[in-house]
Amino acid sequence: PSQSVLLTSAGAPPSAPPPVFLIDSDPVSLNVGWTLPDLCNGAPVSAFTLEAVKHEQSALVYEGPSLSRHLQGVAPGATLWLRVAAINSHGQGPFSHPTSFTTPCAPPSAPQAVAPQPSGRHAAHVSWLPPAAEGGSGVTGYTIKVDRVRAGGHHE
């Protein structure tokens, strides 16, 4: 009979996890998540690295054991590209494919320096400056509300 041989693997970093997914969002934050990679390669996953990617450059967003992260302070209407990598005792594996996420837009702030000027008995001229915050999508128009005021200052 032949002799038995026991083969062992040295292990390796985990494979790339599936892409990051959106849990929920609002105009100034994103709540994203990810799952374990298909292959842990001989050691359990102990942490993850989440990065934002832009034009071939990356920035660390989070490193730790969690399967989700709440990203605050994002501008309304902003787009972030995110990728995640898993880490085990053999090192960090490759990153997932980057996925883009866009925060919803918010309403713009009020116009600035609103200045009504009478220009006749039945007319008025109103001027203003654009709002300080556009809400992420730009201002596409303005609504002017007219209140009629009777003699004595009573609104109709």
Side-chain angles (χ1 to χ4, degrees), residues 51-61 78-83 98-100:
E51 288 185 344
V53 183
K54 185 175 184 180
H55 303 298
E56 303 299 321
Q57 297 198 4
S58 61
L60 179 65
V61 174
T79 298
L80 293 177
W81 287 86
L82 300 172
R83 65 184 186 178
T99 306
S100 70

Side-chain angles (χ1 to χ4, degrees), residues 7 9 11 20 35 37 42 44 59 64-67 73 97 100-101 103 116 127 129 134 136 144 148-149 151 156:
L7 298 175
S9 169
V20 178
T35 59
S66 180
L67 288 169
H97 292 290
S100 70
F101 303 95
T103 55
S127 63
L129 296 174
E134 292 184 349
I144 298 171
R148 292 180 166 222
V149 179
E156 288 184 7

Side-chain angles (χ1 to χ4, degrees), residues 16-63:
V20 178
F21 59 88
L22 181 67
I23 297 171
D24 62 22
S25 66
D26 62 44
V28 295
S29 69
L30 291 168
N31 194 13
V32 295
W34 50 90
T35 59
L36 290 168
D38 290 335
L39 301 173
C40 294
N41 291 328
V45 171
S46 57
F48 297 90
T49 299
L50 179 67
E51 288 185 344
V53 183
K54 185 175 184 180
H55 303 298
E56 303 299 321
Q57 297 198 4
S58 61
L60 179 65
V61 174
Y62 168 76
E63 187 168 286

